[in-house]
Amino acid sequence: MENLENELVLTDLAKNYLKESAKWSKFLSIIGFIGVGFMVLIGLFFGKIISSLPTATFLSASAFPIGIFSVVYIGMAALYFFPIYYLYKYATDTKAAIDLNDSDLLEKGLEKLKSHHKFLGIMMLVILSIYVFIFFIAFIGGIFAIFSR
């Protein structure tokens, strides 16, 4: 008996959907790269901006740890860079794969899409865990506040 493998064949309509998805993904990733660039610039120059404000403002240099803000903002930009990079690689590899009818390149593009979704999923789990932790701390604080009266 002969081994028959199932082979996935992309119809023209499926290729068009992938190509359109790649175009929108490239647009979103370019906007994302611009956003990350702005985040880095804000992180680098936040101290200068705040120090130029009048001292009566609520964000005066003496009341706000500007260096910490800068480090956190640049760190967030570095964190956001990776899913945007994965989305960009998905877009460029997938578009090229459709244009060249290259299955290996399409596989690489879809791998980057998987990495993009996996990264965002892990980030979401971390953020939700932080929310649960904050809710738990607030709940415990509320109980202590009630019983300390």
Side-chain angles (χ1 to χ4, degrees):
M1 185 177 214
E2 195 176 304
N3 274 342
L4 296 176
E5 289 187 32
N6 290 337
E7 186 175 318
L8 177 66
V9 177
L10 293 176
T11 64
D12 288 338
L13 188 58
K15 289 178 183 179
N16 286 337
Y17 289 151
L18 279 172
K19 202 167 184 177
E20 186 173 345
S21 171
K23 286 179 188 177
W24 282 107
S25 295
K26 188 172 183 179
F27 169 74
L28 291 172
S29 63
I30 289 170
I31 297 298
F33 284 135
I34 292 169
V36 165
F38 279 129
M39 288 176 72
V40 169
L41 288 174
I42 289 170
L44 291 174
F45 296 110
F46 186 74
K48 195 70 166 162
I49 294 167
I50 293 303
S51 65
S52 69
L53 294 175
T55 56
T57 62
F58 71 98
L59 284 177
S60 67
S62 62
F64 192 75
I66 294 167
I68 292 173
F69 177 85
S70 295
V71 168
V72 168
Y73 220 64
I74 291 171
M76 285 175 42
L79 185 66
Y80 288 145
F81 172 81
F82 292 103
I84 293 167
Y85 173 75
Y86 293 145
L87 188 64
Y88 179 79
K89 286 301 290 175
Y90 157 73
T92 56
D93 288 351
T94 300
K95 184 180 180 312
I98 300 298
D99 290 343
L100 301 172
N101 205 27
D102 186 344
S103 296
D104 292 333
L105 198 52
L106 180 61
E107 184 179 317
K108 288 178 184 177
L110 292 173
E111 177 190 11
K112 294 303 181 190
L113 183 63
K114 180 227 27 132
S115 297
H116 170 77
H117 291 325
K118 185 177 178 180
F119 194 97
L120 291 181
I122 291 170
M123 269 182 34
M124 183 57 65
L125 287 173
V126 168
I127 290 169
L128 288 175
S129 299
I130 291 170
Y131 284 163
V132 167
F133 178 73
I134 290 170
F135 178 77
F136 178 74
I137 296 299
F139 182 75
I140 298 298
I143 289 174
F144 278 122
I146 290 171
F147 289 116
S148 67
R149 289 183 181 186

